[in-house]
Amino acid sequence: MANKFKIIAFDVDGTLVDDTVFVWDSIHDAYGVGKAARRQAMEQYFAGKLDYRGWFFEDIRLLQEAGATREGLMKVISGMKLMDGAQETLAALHATGAHLVIISGTLDLVVKHFGLDGLVHEVFCNRFHFDDAGRLSGGTPTPFDIEAKAEALKVTAKRLGVPLAETAFVGDNFNDVEIAKAAGLSLAFNCKSDALAKVATHVVPGQNLRHVLKYLM
Ligand SMILES: [Mg+2]
């Protein structure tokens, strides 16, 4: 059965993965990184004084200062869980022939831990690097977070020759507003943002991802 949506994009934190709102906050909290230092970089970003790359490396620096390791980070991530119905939902959509994409500010560690890379065709997210001793040594920031999530959808649609009207997006928070506006159909799932609820085609209540299927198939 062909899907009228040729591309379906998903957010990760709070959408495909539960028990976190933003994985960055979860790991900073677990390592006891001071909220004031984190807030400073975030505020500079939203004030346009620091670009995403600068924010990314400042947040990495704070984690390095706190002694972050692959093992420690994985321990935090292991405390999260896959959203109820995530596996079945992605498999059902996969079977319709839709091109499934993750467009997220999450970490590659999260995507790999939950096997999400095996359930979709393409992943856009942040990457962490580690040295031989397993200490956090750096990273590769995604060019496609927050407002730029929409850009990843547009680039993918253009590459595959799919009109934006035939794309769909599922996300949960304020950082999903622009991509929700760009997609042909957008679903605010497990929604924490009035701004997202306002622009989304539908708000899907509850925390069972299977409930998005009726809109996407
Ligand atoms: Mg999210």
Side-chain angles (χ1 to χ4, degrees):
M1 172 183 52
N3 197 318
K4 67 173 171 171
F5 297 109
K6 303 288 184 292
I7 298 172
I8 304 175
F10 285 85
D11 168 57
V12 173
D13 301 353
T15 301
L16 292 176
V17 173
D18 200 3
D19 290 343
T20 186
V21 177
F22 292 110
V23 67
W24 283 92
D25 284 335
S26 299
I27 59 178
H28 274 126
D29 285 344
Y31 272 99
V33 173
K35 288 202 190 307
R38 287 152 59 186
R39 199 164 47 233
Q40 192 182 14
M42 183 184 73
E43 283 173 359
Q44 283 182 338
Y45 170 79
F46 284 105
K49 291 176 186 158
L50 187 67
D51 62 11
Y52 186 80
R53 198 180 165 78
W55 184 18
F56 174 88
F57 284 111
E58 173 60 9
D59 270 5
I60 284 196
R61 191 188 64 75
L62 293 167
L63 285 166
Q64 286 174 319
E65 245 175 35
T69 61
R70 182 194 290 274
E71 198 185 349
L73 292 167
M74 289 318 299
K75 208 171 148 187
V76 181
I77 292 165
S78 303
M80 301 167 191
K81 62 173 187 140
L82 204 55
M83 187 62 68
D84 191 18
Q87 241 160 348
E88 298 91 318
T89 301
L90 292 175
L93 293 173
H94 202 288
T96 68
H99 185 80
L100 305 182
V101 196
I102 280 174
I103 302 175
S104 170
T106 197
L107 304 175
D108 55 343
L109 301 173
V110 175
V111 170
K112 286 205 180 76
H113 177 72
F114 291 104
L116 294 171
D117 46 348
L119 299 171
V120 301
H121 298 91
E122 214 171 348
V123 176
F124 298 100
C125 74
N126 286 304
R127 293 174 198 284
F128 274 7
H129 303 161
F130 299 92
D131 66 15
D132 289 344
R135 286 177 299 239
L136 179 62
S137 60
T140 309
T142 178
F144 302 121
D145 199 3
I146 316 179
E147 291 92 340
K149 282 187 171 198
E151 197 54 37
L153 183 67
K154 288 175 188 170
V155 165
T156 305
K158 193 170 177 189
R159 197 186 74 231
L160 299 177
V162 171
L164 282 170
E166 294 173 20
T167 67
F169 172 74
V170 185
D172 73 316
N173 219 331
F174 70 87
N175 53 326
D176 298 317
V177 166
E178 291 307 316
I179 187 170
K181 290 197 303 206
L185 177 130
S186 55
L187 301 177
F189 170 77
N190 191 20
C191 187
K192 294 120 187 142
S193 159
D194 290 342
L196 179 64
K198 203 170 155 189
V199 301
T201 317
H202 302 285
V203 175
V204 182
Q207 286 189 299
N208 183 340
L209 201 66
R210 295 173 193 91
H211 291 161
V212 304
L213 282 175
K214 67 175 175 184
Y215 300 105
L216 298 175
M217 290 174 75

